[in-house]
Amino acid sequence: MASAPKRPKAAAGSSARGSGAAEPLSGFLAWCGRAGVQLSPKVRLSREGAVAGYGMLAAAELEPGEVLCTVPRSALLSQHTSSIQALLREGQESLQSQSGWVPLLLALLHEYTASNSHWRPYFSLWQDFRSLDHPMFWPEEERRKLLQGTGIPEAVEKDLANIHLEYSSIILPFMESHPNVFDPKLHTLELYKQLVAFVMAYSFQEPLEEEDEDEKGPNPPVMVPVADILNHVANHNANLEYSPQCLRMVTTQPISKGQEIFNTYGQMANWQLLHMYGFAEPYPSNTNDTADIQMVTVRTAALQRARSEAQQRLVSEQWDFLCQLEMVGEEGAFVLGWDEVLTEEELSVTLKVLCMSEEEFKEYKEQDGWEDDSEEEENLTLSNEALSRLKPPCKQLLYDSVLLTLESYRSDLKAEQDLLHNKEAYEKLSQREKQALHVRYGQKRILHQLLELVH
């Protein structure tokens, strides 16, 4: 589910109760002092002036390389620091899951509801999770209507299936075997789902050391107080650094007094941001935005232009061969960025193979897909300029595939453009409609740019 280091989105929105946001924040800052979290005097945490929820703002001018906050590892909330760490360690065999998140989620279920939890002031920033507005909480009909074609509805369906499966097959049995710690009436599926969204939006995963990347799975997620308050933009001005004793948020560029300080969750496209964090960056600020062409869509386009049964059989054989080469798969996608194709080898080889004659394909198969040709290397880098130089049959196949992809959306580019440029109409949209519009519009702009390049 998660990958890059991250923080909240439009999250903490409506959650503070009582005498407004200042009270939970001052309680949290006092807790930070006790927990050894150091906050630079040059920054302040606030709702005022932040793009969403809480944020970190510069209280003075900052130079690149300045430490904004230092969080000792003892202040991280994880399966290893929770008050039920021994219980989780003892049951670790039964807590294995596809996501790898179950131990942290059990720790959160306990700490969030325990009246004497050490983490209570931290959780007071989110006294309920209703402000998390991930698409998984949208009614299915609304999700389909606003996000059809973006890839998000399919990702959410997988998430919800995994959440239900983990809760019923791992969480419930574990809770039932520890009735003195857990109560299924309190620790419900609904709360579990909210905590999954909380981990999606606010947790961090420490990158693996290079030598461990092949042997180990990713590190489990952890909650990092203060660091998780920073909002995200592609053009960020701070990032999180890891050391054996602590984690530090450090500036990466000069920041003026009063400016908001932004972290990055990694190079995230808008559909990923909305899916995992509940927000999207307004067009055109997300330079990391991408659009997908489903791999099976390219197969469909190739089959549609096959004029005879023999040609259709050839396309099917070519597709099967590409599957053997692990270039394509039934659920895979070719990923297009603003300046280049990010899955360049896969798309380059797929277009080439699907555009081969029977003779060329036979020869190619005999070489097991290898060719000693220096031109091949150059063709693999699919920059925008290289796309415009593709051979005509490859261009046509790509063009047809983009048209099929654009058909999967409910609206066209012009309608979205009009909506974005009509301030009055745009302001009438709900928050969900605005976020979905930015996702759809960015993807369609990338797809239309590709149409022009290969036309």
Coordinates of all heavy atoms in Angstrom, one line a residue, residues 185-264:
K185 N -16.0 -4.8 20.1 CA -17.1 -3.8 20.1 C -16.5 -2.3 20.0 O -17.1 -1.4 19.5 CB -17.9 -3.9 21.3 CG -18.8 -5.1 21.3 CD -19.9 -5.0 22.4 CE -20.7 -6.2 22.5 NZ -20.0 -7.4 23.1
L186 N -15.3 -2.2 20.6 CA -14.6 -0.9 20.6 C -13.6 -0.8 19.4 O -13.6 0.2 18.7 CB -13.8 -0.7 21.9 CG -12.9 0.5 22.1 CD1 -13.8 1.8 22.1 CD2 -12.1 0.4 23.4
H187 N -12.9 -1.9 19.2 CA -11.9 -1.9 18.1 C -12.5 -2.5 16.8 O -12.2 -3.7 16.4 CB -10.7 -2.8 18.6 CG -10.0 -2.2 19.8 ND1 -10.1 -2.9 21.0 CD2 -9.4 -1.0 20.0 CE1 -9.5 -2.1 21.9 NE2 -9.1 -1.0 21.4
T188 N -13.4 -1.8 16.3 CA -14.3 -2.2 15.2 C -13.6 -2.2 13.8 O -12.5 -1.6 13.7 CB -15.5 -1.3 15.1 OG1 -15.1 0.0 14.8 CG2 -16.3 -1.4 16.3
L189 N -14.2 -2.8 12.8 CA -13.7 -2.8 11.4 C -13.6 -1.3 11.0 O -12.7 -0.9 10.3 CB -14.6 -3.6 10.5 CG -14.3 -3.5 9.0 CD1 -12.9 -4.0 8.7 CD2 -15.3 -4.3 8.2
E190 N -14.6 -0.5 11.4 CA -14.7 0.9 10.9 C -13.5 1.7 11.5 O -12.8 2.4 10.7 CB -16.0 1.5 11.4 CG -16.4 2.8 10.7 CD -16.2 2.8 9.2 OE1 -16.7 1.9 8.5 OE2 -15.6 3.8 8.7
L191 N -13.2 1.5 12.7 CA -12.0 2.1 13.3 C -10.7 1.6 12.7 O -9.8 2.4 12.4 CB -11.9 1.9 14.9 CG -10.7 2.5 15.6 CD1 -10.7 4.0 15.4 CD2 -10.7 2.2 17.1
Y192 N -10.7 0.3 12.4 CA -9.5 -0.2 11.7 C -9.3 0.4 10.4 O -8.2 0.8 10.0 CB -9.7 -1.7 11.6 CG -8.5 -2.5 11.1 CD1 -7.3 -2.6 11.8 CD2 -8.5 -3.0 9.8 CE1 -6.2 -3.3 11.4 CE2 -7.3 -3.7 9.3 CZ -6.2 -3.8 10.1 OH -5.1 -4.5 9.6
K193 N -10.4 0.6 9.6 CA -10.3 1.2 8.3 C -9.8 2.7 8.4 O -9.0 3.1 7.6 CB -11.7 1.2 7.7 CG -11.7 1.3 6.2 CD -13.1 1.5 5.6 CE -13.9 0.2 5.8 NZ -15.3 0.4 5.1
Q194 N -10.3 3.4 9.4 CA -9.8 4.8 9.6 C -8.3 4.8 10.0 O -7.6 5.7 9.5 CB -10.6 5.4 10.8 CG -12.1 5.7 10.4 CD -12.9 6.2 11.5 OE1 -12.6 5.9 12.7 NE2 -14.0 6.9 11.3
L195 N -7.9 3.8 10.7 CA -6.5 3.8 11.1 C -5.6 3.4 9.9 O -4.5 3.9 9.8 CB -6.3 2.8 12.3 CG -6.8 3.4 13.6 CD1 -6.8 2.3 14.7 CD2 -5.9 4.6 14.1
V196 N -6.1 2.6 9.0 CA -5.4 2.3 7.8 C -5.2 3.6 7.0 O -4.1 3.9 6.5 CB -6.1 1.2 6.9 CG1 -5.5 1.1 5.5 CG2 -6.1 -0.2 7.6
A197 N -6.2 4.4 6.9 CA -6.1 5.7 6.2 C -5.2 6.6 6.9 O -4.4 7.3 6.3 CB -7.5 6.3 6.1
F198 N -5.2 6.6 8.2 CA -4.3 7.4 9.1 C -2.8 7.0 8.8 O -1.9 7.8 8.5 CB -4.6 7.2 10.5 CG -3.8 8.0 11.5 CD1 -3.7 9.4 11.4 CD2 -3.0 7.3 12.5 CE1 -3.0 10.1 12.3 CE2 -2.3 8.1 13.4 CZ -2.2 9.5 13.3
V199 N -2.5 5.7 8.7 CA -1.2 5.2 8.4 C -0.8 5.6 6.9 O 0.3 6.0 6.7 CB -1.1 3.6 8.6 CG1 0.2 3.1 8.1 CG2 -1.2 3.3 10.1
M200 N -1.8 5.4 6.0 CA -1.5 5.8 4.6 C -1.1 7.3 4.6 O -0.1 7.6 3.9 CB -2.8 5.7 3.8 CG -3.1 4.3 3.2 SD -4.6 4.4 2.2 CE -4.5 2.9 1.3
A201 N -1.8 8.1 5.3 CA -1.6 9.6 5.1 C -0.5 10.1 6.0 O 0.1 11.1 5.6 CB -2.9 10.3 5.5
Y202 N -0.2 9.5 7.1 CA 0.7 10.1 8.1 C 2.0 9.3 8.4 O 2.9 9.9 9.0 CB 0.0 10.4 9.4 CG -1.0 11.5 9.3 CD1 -2.3 11.3 8.8 CD2 -0.7 12.9 9.6 CE1 -3.2 12.3 8.7 CE2 -1.6 13.9 9.4 CZ -2.9 13.6 9.0 OH -3.8 14.6 8.9
S203 N 2.1 8.1 8.0 CA 3.2 7.3 8.4 C 4.4 7.5 7.5 O 4.3 8.1 6.4 CB 2.9 5.8 8.5 OG 2.7 5.3 7.1
F204 N 5.6 7.0 8.0 CA 6.8 7.1 7.2 C 7.4 5.7 7.2 O 7.2 4.9 8.1 CB 7.9 8.0 7.9 CG 7.5 9.4 7.9 CD1 6.5 10.0 8.7 CD2 8.2 10.3 7.0 CE1 6.2 11.3 8.7 CE2 7.9 11.7 7.0 CZ 6.9 12.2 7.9
Q205 N 8.0 5.3 6.0 CA 8.8 4.1 5.9 C 10.2 4.4 5.7 O 10.6 5.0 4.7 CB 8.2 3.2 4.8 CG 7.0 2.4 5.3 CD 6.4 1.6 4.1 OE1 5.9 2.2 3.2 NE2 6.4 0.3 4.2
E206 N 11.0 4.0 6.6 CA 12.5 4.2 6.5 C 13.0 3.5 5.3 O 12.8 2.3 5.1 CB 13.2 3.8 7.8 CG 14.6 4.2 7.8 CD 15.2 4.1 9.2 OE1 14.5 3.8 10.2 OE2 16.5 4.3 9.3
P207 N 13.8 4.2 4.4 CA 14.3 3.5 3.3 C 15.3 2.4 3.7 O 16.0 2.6 4.8 CB 15.1 4.6 2.5 CG 14.7 5.9 3.1 CD 14.2 5.6 4.5
L208 N 15.4 1.3 3.0 CA 16.4 0.3 3.3 C 17.8 0.7 2.9 O 17.9 1.5 1.9 CB 16.0 -1.0 2.5 CG 14.7 -1.8 3.0 CD1 14.4 -2.8 2.0 CD2 15.0 -2.4 4.3
E209 N 18.8 0.1 3.6 CA 20.2 0.3 3.1 C 20.3 -0.4 1.8 O 19.6 -1.4 1.5 CB 21.1 -0.3 4.1 CG 21.1 0.3 5.5 CD 21.6 1.8 5.5 OE1 22.5 2.1 4.6 OE2 21.1 2.5 6.3
E210 N 21.1 0.1 0.9 CA 21.2 -0.5 -0.5 C 21.5 -1.9 -0.4 O 20.9 -2.7 -1.2 CB 22.3 0.3 -1.3 CG 21.8 1.4 -2.1 CD 22.9 2.1 -2.9 OE1 23.6 1.4 -3.6 OE2 22.9 3.3 -2.8
E211 N 22.4 -2.4 0.5 CA 22.7 -3.8 0.5 C 21.6 -4.7 1.0 O 21.6 -5.9 0.7 CB 24.0 -4.1 1.4 CG 23.9 -3.6 2.8 CD 24.3 -2.2 3.1 OE1 24.4 -1.4 2.1 OE2 24.7 -1.9 4.2
D212 N 20.6 -4.1 1.6 CA 19.4 -4.9 2.1 C 18.3 -4.9 1.1 O 17.3 -5.7 1.3 CB 18.9 -4.3 3.4 CG 19.9 -4.4 4.6 OD1 20.7 -5.3 4.5 OD2 19.8 -3.6 5.5
E213 N 18.3 -4.1 0.1 CA 17.2 -3.9 -0.8 C 16.7 -5.2 -1.4 O 15.5 -5.4 -1.6 CB 17.5 -2.9 -1.9 CG 17.2 -1.5 -1.4 CD 17.5 -0.4 -2.4 OE1 17.6 -0.7 -3.6 OE2 17.7 0.8 -2.0
D214 N 17.6 -6.1 -1.8 CA 17.2 -7.3 -2.5 C 16.7 -8.4 -1.5 O 15.8 -9.1 -1.8 CB 18.4 -7.9 -3.3 CG 18.7 -7.0 -4.4 OD1 17.9 -6.2 -4.9 OD2 19.9 -7.0 -4.9
E215 N 17.4 -8.5 -0.3 CA 17.0 -9.5 0.6 C 15.8 -9.3 1.5 O 15.0 -10.1 1.7 CB 18.2 -9.8 1.6 CG 19.4 -10.5 1.0 CD 20.5 -9.6 0.8 OE1 21.1 -9.1 1.7 OE2 20.8 -9.3 -0.4
K216 N 15.6 -8.0 1.9 CA 14.5 -7.7 2.8 C 13.3 -7.1 2.1 O 13.5 -6.5 1.1 CB 15.0 -6.7 3.9 CG 16.0 -7.2 4.9 CD 16.3 -6.1 5.8 CE 17.3 -6.4 6.9 NZ 17.6 -5.3 7.8
G217 N 12.1 -7.3 2.8 CA 11.0 -6.5 2.3 C 11.1 -5.1 2.9 O 12.0 -4.8 3.6
P218 N 10.2 -4.2 2.5 CA 10.3 -2.8 3.0 C 10.2 -2.8 4.5 O 9.6 -3.7 5.1 CB 9.1 -2.1 2.3 CG 8.2 -3.2 1.9 CD 9.0 -4.4 1.6
N219 N 10.8 -1.8 5.1 CA 10.6 -1.6 6.6 C 9.1 -1.3 6.9 O 8.4 -0.7 6.1 CB 11.4 -0.3 7.0 CG 12.9 -0.7 7.2 OD1 13.3 -1.7 7.7 ND2 13.8 0.2 6.6
P220 N 8.7 -1.8 8.1 CA 7.3 -1.5 8.4 C 7.1 0.0 8.7 O 8.0 0.7 9.0 CB 7.0 -2.3 9.7 CG 8.4 -2.6 10.2 CD 9.3 -2.6 9.1
P221 N 5.9 0.5 8.4 CA 5.7 2.0 8.7 C 5.7 2.3 10.1 O 5.5 1.5 11.0 CB 4.2 2.2 8.1 CG 3.6 0.9 8.1 CD 4.7 -0.1 8.0
V222 N 6.1 3.6 10.4 CA 6.1 4.1 11.8 C 5.4 5.5 11.8 O 5.4 6.2 10.8 CB 7.5 4.2 12.4 CG1 8.1 2.9 12.5 CG2 8.4 5.1 11.6
M223 N 4.9 5.9 12.9 CA 4.4 7.3 13.1 C 5.5 8.2 13.6 O 6.1 7.8 14.6 CB 3.1 7.3 14.0 CG 2.1 6.2 13.7 SD 1.6 6.1 12.0 CE 0.8 7.7 11.7
V224 N 5.7 9.3 13.0 CA 6.8 10.2 13.4 C 6.2 11.6 13.8 O 5.9 12.4 13.0 CB 7.8 10.5 12.3 CG1 9.0 11.3 12.8 CG2 8.3 9.1 11.7
P225 N 5.9 11.8 15.1 CA 5.3 13.0 15.6 C 6.1 14.2 15.1 O 7.3 14.2 15.0 CB 5.4 12.9 17.1 CG 5.3 11.4 17.4 CD 6.1 10.8 16.3
V226 N 5.4 15.3 14.8 CA 5.9 16.6 14.3 C 6.3 16.5 12.8 O 5.7 17.2 12.0 CB 7.1 17.2 15.1 CG1 7.6 18.5 14.4 CG2 6.8 17.5 16.5
A227 N 7.1 15.5 12.4 CA 7.4 15.4 11.0 C 6.2 15.1 10.2 O 6.1 15.6 9.1 CB 8.4 14.2 10.8
D228 N 5.2 14.4 10.8 CA 4.0 14.1 10.0 C 3.0 15.3 9.9 O 2.0 15.2 9.3 CB 3.3 12.9 10.6 CG 2.9 13.0 12.1 OD1 2.9 14.2 12.6 OD2 2.5 12.0 12.7
I229 N 3.4 16.4 10.5 CA 2.5 17.6 10.4 C 2.8 18.4 9.1 O 2.0 19.1 8.6 CB 2.7 18.5 11.7 CG1 1.8 17.9 12.8 CG2 2.4 19.9 11.4 CD1 1.9 18.6 14.1
L230 N 4.0 18.2 8.6 CA 4.3 18.9 7.3 C 3.5 18.4 6.2 O 3.3 17.2 6.0 CB 5.8 18.7 7.0 CG 6.8 19.7 7.7 CD1 7.0 19.3 9.1 CD2 8.1 19.8 6.9
N231 N 3.0 19.4 5.4 CA 2.2 19.1 4.2 C 3.2 18.8 3.0 O 4.4 19.0 3.2 CB 1.3 20.2 3.8 CG 0.1 20.3 4.8 OD1 -0.7 19.3 4.9 ND2 0.0 21.4 5.5
H232 N 2.7 18.3 1.9 CA 3.5 17.8 0.8 C 3.2 18.7 -0.4 O 2.1 19.1 -0.7 CB 3.1 16.4 0.4 CG 3.5 16.0 -1.0 ND1 4.6 15.2 -1.3 CD2 2.9 16.2 -2.2 CE1 4.7 15.0 -2.6 NE2 3.6 15.6 -3.1
V233 N 4.3 19.0 -1.2 CA 4.2 19.5 -2.6 C 5.3 18.9 -3.3 O 6.4 18.5 -2.7 CB 4.2 21.0 -2.7 CG1 3.0 21.7 -2.2 CG2 5.5 21.6 -2.1
A234 N 5.2 18.8 -4.7 CA 6.3 18.2 -5.5 C 7.5 19.1 -5.3 O 8.6 18.6 -5.2 CB 5.8 18.1 -7.0
N235 N 7.3 20.4 -5.4 CA 8.4 21.3 -5.2 C 8.6 21.7 -3.7 O 8.4 22.8 -3.3 CB 8.2 22.6 -6.0 CG 9.3 23.6 -6.0 OD1 10.5 23.2 -5.8 ND2 9.0 24.8 -6.2
H236 N 9.1 20.7 -3.0 CA 9.2 20.8 -1.5 C 10.4 21.6 -1.1 O 11.4 21.8 -1.9 CB 9.2 19.4 -0.9 CG 10.3 18.5 -1.4 ND1 11.4 18.3 -0.6 CD2 10.5 17.9 -2.5 CE1 12.2 17.5 -1.3 NE2 11.7 17.2 -2.5
N237 N 10.5 22.0 0.2 CA 11.6 22.7 0.7 C 12.3 22.1 1.9 O 13.1 22.7 2.6 CB 11.3 24.2 0.9 CG 10.0 24.4 1.7 OD1 9.6 23.4 2.4 ND2 9.3 25.5 1.6
A238 N 11.9 20.9 2.3 CA 12.5 20.2 3.4 C 12.3 18.7 3.1 O 11.5 18.2 2.4 CB 11.7 20.5 4.7
N239 N 13.2 17.9 3.8 CA 13.0 16.4 3.8 C 13.5 15.8 5.0 O 14.2 16.4 5.8 CB 13.6 15.8 2.5 CG 15.1 15.9 2.4 OD1 15.7 16.1 3.4 ND2 15.6 15.7 1.2
L240 N 13.1 14.5 5.3 CA 13.4 13.8 6.5 C 14.7 13.0 6.3 O 14.8 12.3 5.3 CB 12.2 12.9 6.9 CG 12.3 12.3 8.3 CD1 12.1 13.4 9.3 CD2 11.1 11.3 8.5
E241 N 15.6 13.1 7.3 CA 16.9 12.4 7.3 C 16.9 11.4 8.5 O 16.4 11.8 9.5 CB 18.0 13.4 7.3 CG 18.1 14.2 6.1 CD 19.4 15.2 6.2 OE1 20.1 15.2 7.2 OE2 19.5 15.9 5.2
Y242 N 17.4 10.2 8.2 CA 17.4 9.2 9.2 C 18.8 9.0 9.8 O 19.8 8.9 9.0 CB 16.9 7.9 8.6 CG 15.5 7.9 8.1 CD1 15.2 8.5 6.9 CD2 14.5 7.4 8.9 CE1 13.8 8.5 6.4 CE2 13.1 7.5 8.5 CZ 12.8 8.0 7.2 OH 11.5 8.1 6.8
S243 N 18.9 8.8 11.1 CA 20.2 8.4 11.7 C 19.9 7.3 12.7 O 18.7 7.2 13.1 CB 21.0 9.6 12.3 OG 20.3 10.0 13.5
P244 N 20.9 6.6 13.2 CA 20.6 5.5 14.2 C 19.9 6.0 15.5 O 19.1 5.3 16.0 CB 22.0 5.0 14.6 CG 22.9 5.3 13.4 CD 22.3 6.6 12.9
Q245 N 20.2 7.3 15.9 CA 19.6 7.7 17.2 C 18.2 8.5 17.0 O 17.4 8.5 17.8 CB 20.5 8.7 17.9 CG 21.7 8.0 18.6 CD 22.7 7.6 17.6 OE1 23.0 8.3 16.7 NE2 23.3 6.4 17.9
C246 N 18.1 9.2 15.8 CA 17.0 10.1 15.7 C 16.7 10.3 14.2 O 17.4 9.9 13.3 CB 17.3 11.4 16.3 SG 18.7 12.3 15.6
L247 N 15.5 11.0 14.0 CA 15.1 11.5 12.6 C 15.1 13.0 12.6 O 14.7 13.6 13.6 CB 13.8 10.9 12.3 CG 13.6 9.5 11.8 CD1 14.1 8.5 12.9 CD2 12.2 9.1 11.4
R248 N 15.6 13.6 11.6 CA 15.6 15.1 11.5 C 15.0 15.6 10.3 O 15.2 15.0 9.2 CB 17.1 15.6 11.5 CG 17.9 15.3 12.7 CD 19.3 15.9 12.6 NE 20.1 15.6 13.7 CZ 20.9 14.5 13.8 NH1 20.9 13.7 12.7 NH2 21.6 14.2 14.8
M249 N 14.1 16.6 10.4 CA 13.6 17.3 9.2 C 14.5 18.5 8.9 O 14.8 19.3 9.8 CB 12.2 17.8 9.5 CG 11.4 18.3 8.3 SD 11.1 17.1 7.1 CE 9.8 16.1 7.8
V250 N 15.0 18.5 7.7 CA 16.0 19.5 7.3 C 15.6 20.2 6.1 O 15.0 19.7 5.1 CB 17.4 18.7 7.0 CG1 18.5 19.7 6.6 CG2 17.8 17.9 8.2
T251 N 15.9 21.6 6.1 CA 15.5 22.4 4.9 C 16.4 22.0 3.7 O 17.6 21.7 3.8 CB 15.7 23.9 5.2 OG1 17.1 24.1 5.7 CG2 14.7 24.4 6.3
T252 N 15.8 22.1 2.5 CA 16.6 21.9 1.3 C 16.8 23.1 0.4 O 17.5 23.1 -0.6 CB 15.9 20.8 0.4 OG1 14.5 21.3 0.1 CG2 15.8 19.5 1.1
Q253 N 16.1 24.2 0.8 CA 16.3 25.5 0.1 C 15.9 26.6 1.0 O 15.4 26.4 2.1 CB 15.4 25.5 -1.2 CG 13.9 25.1 -1.0 CD 13.2 25.0 -2.3 OE1 12.8 26.1 -2.8 NE2 12.9 23.9 -2.9
P254 N 16.3 27.8 0.6 CA 16.0 29.0 1.5 C 14.5 29.1 1.7 O 13.7 28.9 0.7 CB 16.5 30.2 0.7 CG 17.5 29.6 -0.3 CD 17.0 28.3 -0.6
I255 N 14.1 29.5 2.9 CA 12.6 29.7 3.2 C 12.4 31.0 3.9 O 13.1 31.3 4.8 CB 12.1 28.5 4.1 CG1 12.3 27.2 3.4 CG2 10.6 28.7 4.4 CD1 12.1 26.0 4.3
S256 N 11.5 31.8 3.4 CA 11.2 33.2 3.9 C 10.4 33.0 5.2 O 9.6 32.1 5.3 CB 10.5 34.1 2.9 OG 11.2 34.0 1.7
K257 N 10.5 34.0 6.0 CA 9.6 34.1 7.2 C 8.2 34.1 6.8 O 7.8 34.8 5.9 CB 10.0 35.4 8.0 CG 9.2 35.5 9.3 CD 9.6 36.8 10.1 CE 8.7 36.9 11.3 NZ 9.0 38.1 12.1
G258 N 7.4 33.3 7.5 CA 5.9 33.2 7.3 C 5.5 32.2 6.2 O 4.4 31.8 6.1
Q259 N 6.5 31.7 5.5 CA 6.3 30.7 4.4 C 6.0 29.3 5.0 O 6.6 29.0 6.1 CB 7.5 30.6 3.5 CG 7.2 30.5 2.1 CD 8.6 30.3 1.3 OE1 9.6 30.9 1.6 NE2 8.6 29.5 0.3
E260 N 5.1 28.5 4.4 CA 4.9 27.1 4.9 C 6.1 26.2 4.5 O 6.7 26.4 3.4 CB 3.6 26.6 4.3 CG 3.3 25.2 4.9 CD 1.9 24.7 4.7 OE1 1.1 25.3 4.1 OE2 1.6 23.6 5.2
I261 N 6.4 25.3 5.3 CA 7.5 24.4 5.0 C 6.9 23.0 4.6 O 6.0 22.5 5.3 CB 8.4 24.2 6.3 CG1 9.0 25.5 6.7 CG2 9.5 23.2 6.0 CD1 9.5 25.6 8.1
F262 N 7.3 22.5 3.4 CA 6.7 21.3 2.9 C 7.7 20.2 2.8 O 8.9 20.4 2.4 CB 6.2 21.6 1.4 CG 5.1 22.5 1.4 CD1 5.2 23.9 1.1 CD2 3.8 22.1 1.6 CE1 4.1 24.8 1.0 CE2 2.7 22.9 1.5 CZ 2.9 24.3 1.3
N263 N 7.3 19.0 3.1 CA 8.0 17.8 3.0 C 7.6 17.2 1.6 O 6.8 17.7 0.9 CB 7.7 16.8 4.1 CG 8.5 15.5 4.1 OD1 9.6 15.5 3.6 ND2 7.9 14.5 4.7
T264 N 8.3 16.0 1.3 CA 7.9 15.3 0.1 C 7.6 13.9 0.5 O 8.2 13.3 1.4 CB 8.9 15.3 -1.0 OG1 8.5 14.4 -2.0 CG2 10.3 14.8 -0.5

